[in-house]
Amino acid sequence: MSHHERVTFTQGRDVIEHAVRHLSQVRDALDELRERDDHDERVAMFLDSVEVEQRNLLGAVSRLLEDGAPAALDTYAQYTVELPTEVPPPGDSGSTLGITRWLAEQNGYLQRTFAELAENGGSAAEREVFGALAQQIESHERRLSKAYQRSEDL
C-alpha cells in the first residue's frame, strides 16, 4: 500500500511539477519491470506498448510547464490535495491485468487531482488547464485499456 500525504501548493506550476515527478517515478518503475527478463512474450509486448504511452503522457505534462498559460501556471492560488509520496512497484507484475491495474491506480491519483482542481480552481484559465489535463489522463487510460485488451486477444 502506498503512503499518501496532503500537500499544499501555491501555484498551478507546483501541482504540475509534482505530477511530472510522479509520472517520472511510474516511468522508472516500468523501466525496471521491462528490464527483467522473466516475462512471457505477451507481458513483454504489453510492457513495451504501455511504456511508450506513459512516456507520451509524461512528455505532454512536461511540455505544459514550458508552454502553459502563465495565468494558469504562475497565478497564486492555494491548492491542497492528497498525493502519493512514493510509487510502489506493481504487485502482480507477471500479468497484463496486474500491470494495467497498477497503472490505472498511479494515473488515477493525478486524474482525480486535476479533475478536483478543474472543478475548484480559482481562475477560468486554471480550471481550463486542469480540466484538459484530467481529460488527457482519461484518454490515456482508455488507450491503456485498449492495449490490455489487444494483449489478451493475442
Side-chain angles (χ1 to χ4, degrees):
M1 177 181 278
S2 62
H3 300 308
H4 291 77
E5 66 181 358
R6 290 200 64 76
V7 182
T8 301
F9 298 105
T10 57
Q11 294 182 328
R13 176 178 305 281
D14 298 333
V15 178
I16 296 169
E17 286 173 350
H18 179 81
V20 167
R21 281 191 301 275
H22 181 77
L23 289 170
S24 295
Q25 290 176 339
V26 171
R27 178 208 52 211
D28 294 346
L30 278 174
D31 283 345
E32 289 176 21
L33 192 56
R34 276 188 62 237
E35 289 175 4
R36 292 182 15 205
D37 51 353
D38 61 344
H39 301 297
D40 67 26
E41 190 173 337
R42 180 184 303 190
V43 172
M45 288 172 43
F46 180 70
L47 282 169
D48 288 342
S49 175
V50 298
E51 185 185 26
V52 168
E53 290 295 333
Q54 282 295 126
R55 286 183 185 276
N56 289 342
L57 179 61
L58 173 60
V61 175
S62 296
R63 281 189 299 279
L64 185 59
L65 287 172
E66 299 167 10
D67 303 335
L73 298 178
D74 298 328
T75 302
Y76 175 83
Q78 188 167 335
Y79 308 104
T80 301
V81 294
E82 187 169 325
L83 297 168
T85 57
E86 59 188 45
V87 174
D92 179 12
S93 61
S95 74
T96 55
L97 180 58
I99 295 165
T100 302
R101 286 181 176 160
W102 174 78
L103 283 169
E105 178 183 16
Q106 298 308 314
N107 294 331
Y109 295 129
L110 298 179
Q111 193 282 328
R112 287 186 299 277
T113 296
F114 291 142
E116 179 183 325
L117 294 175
E119 246 180 62
N120 304 318
S123 70
E126 291 169 317
R127 289 190 305 272
E128 184 178 329
V129 166
F130 290 127
L133 282 168
Q135 289 175 348
Q136 185 168 11
I137 294 174
E138 284 178 25
S139 175
H140 173 75
E141 287 302 304
R142 285 190 295 275
R143 286 190 299 277
L144 287 178
S145 179
K146 287 179 184 177
Y148 165 72
Q149 192 58 49
R150 281 192 302 270
S151 74
E152 291 301 301
D153 291 343
L154 289 176

